[in-house]
Amino acid sequence: MSAVVLALVAGAAIGLALGALGGGGSVLAVPALIYLLGFSPAGATTASLVIVSLTSVTALVAHARDGHARWRTGLLFAAAGAGPAMAGGLLAGRLPAWALTAAFGVVAAAAAVRMLRAAPAAQGVVTVRPGRAAAAGAGLGAVTGVLGVGGGFLAVPALVGVLGLRMRHAVGTSLLVITVNSLAALTMRAGTVEELDWTVVGPFVGAAILGAWDGRRLAAKIPGPALQRIFAVVLLAVAAFMLVDALR
């Protein structure tokens, strides 16, 4: 199977995840780029930021139309993480490939466990404490910069479990956070973006954007708690695979 076909298939799956779950795109994109398309870990994390930032903007528009984006919370969360994301982007280039892979697996597993153990999200309007949102956002931004992920697979658990948002609002709000964090991290990798294989990355992005629209429609048909469990199970599977690979 050619690299372009693999990129189209992987992009569609990742767009579907972002559109339906508000995250998980980068946690799936990085392994796909490394194991299916032959990217190095450093190249994969940079390409992932490009793919996820462009796809997240598309998905955000769709969720915002449905009223599922908490703009104030999302902007505060993202603003607090922008600086740490840029600093993390500088640190990432100094870490060995195995360390990036292992760290990715550990963080994904922790987020999955948090999602599975999270109490049911509150109903109705939720009051979010600014200090709590800023602290969670800063931590997420640092992870985004180092691991080359948009952060949705961590933002959704934080928005649900730490800030108490309903799952559907967490999905829409996380897309705003992903976009800001990804762009902040990319500013520190500007020189490496030009080195990407755009004959692969381009089709990947196009398929992901189309998949994101389908994902938004899928999310409207699945109950919030079910989305939460699906998200956590996918994260656990990816985390296990990457930890095994890092330890070999």
Side-chain angles (χ1 to χ4, degrees):
M1 190 178 294
S2 72
V4 172
V5 173
L6 287 173
L8 289 170
V9 172
I14 285 153
L16 192 68
L18 272 169
L21 304 175
S26 49
V27 80
L28 299 175
V30 171
L33 290 164
I34 293 173
Y35 300 114
L36 295 180
L37 298 169
F39 280 57
S40 68
T45 55
T46 300
S48 171
L49 287 171
V50 174
I51 293 163
V52 172
S53 60
L54 293 174
T55 308
S56 296
V57 170
T58 302
L60 173 60
V61 170
H63 281 275
R65 284 179 179 175
D66 295 335
H68 293 158
R70 295 284 296 272
W71 293 96
R72 182 179 176 183
T73 298
L75 288 172
L76 176 60
F77 203 94
M86 296 172 76
L90 289 175
L91 176 63
R94 303 179 182 180
L95 296 176
W98 70 265
L100 282 174
T101 303
F104 200 100
V106 169
V107 171
V113 171
R114 180 62 187 256
M115 283 294 283
L116 288 172
R117 297 179 60 184
Q123 301 298 314
V125 178
V126 177
T127 300
V128 177
R129 296 179 182 176
R132 204 171 191 183
L140 178 68
V143 173
T144 294
V146 173
L147 300 184
V149 298
F153 75 108
L154 296 174
V156 172
L159 291 167
V160 172
V162 178
L163 302 185
L165 294 191
R166 296 173 59 187
M167 183 63 184
R168 296 200 189 284
H169 288 159
V171 168
T173 304
S174 76
L175 291 166
L176 173 60
V177 176
I178 291 168
T179 301
V180 175
N181 281 351
S182 295
L183 292 175
L186 270 174
T187 62
M188 307 311 297
R189 304 188 185 205
T192 61
V193 171
E194 298 175 359
E195 302 171 3
L196 297 178
D197 184 353
W198 289 100
T199 61
V200 173
V201 175
F204 205 124
V205 171
I209 289 174
L210 293 175
W213 284 94
D214 289 333
R216 194 269 302 175
R217 288 193 289 269
L218 178 64
K221 300 177 182 179
I222 301 177
L227 280 176
Q228 195 168 317
R229 288 192 296 272
I230 291 168
F231 196 172
V233 170
V234 171
L235 279 183
L236 281 175
V238 172
F241 181 83
M242 297 197 78
L243 284 171
V244 169
D245 182 64
L247 296 174
R248 283 191 303 186

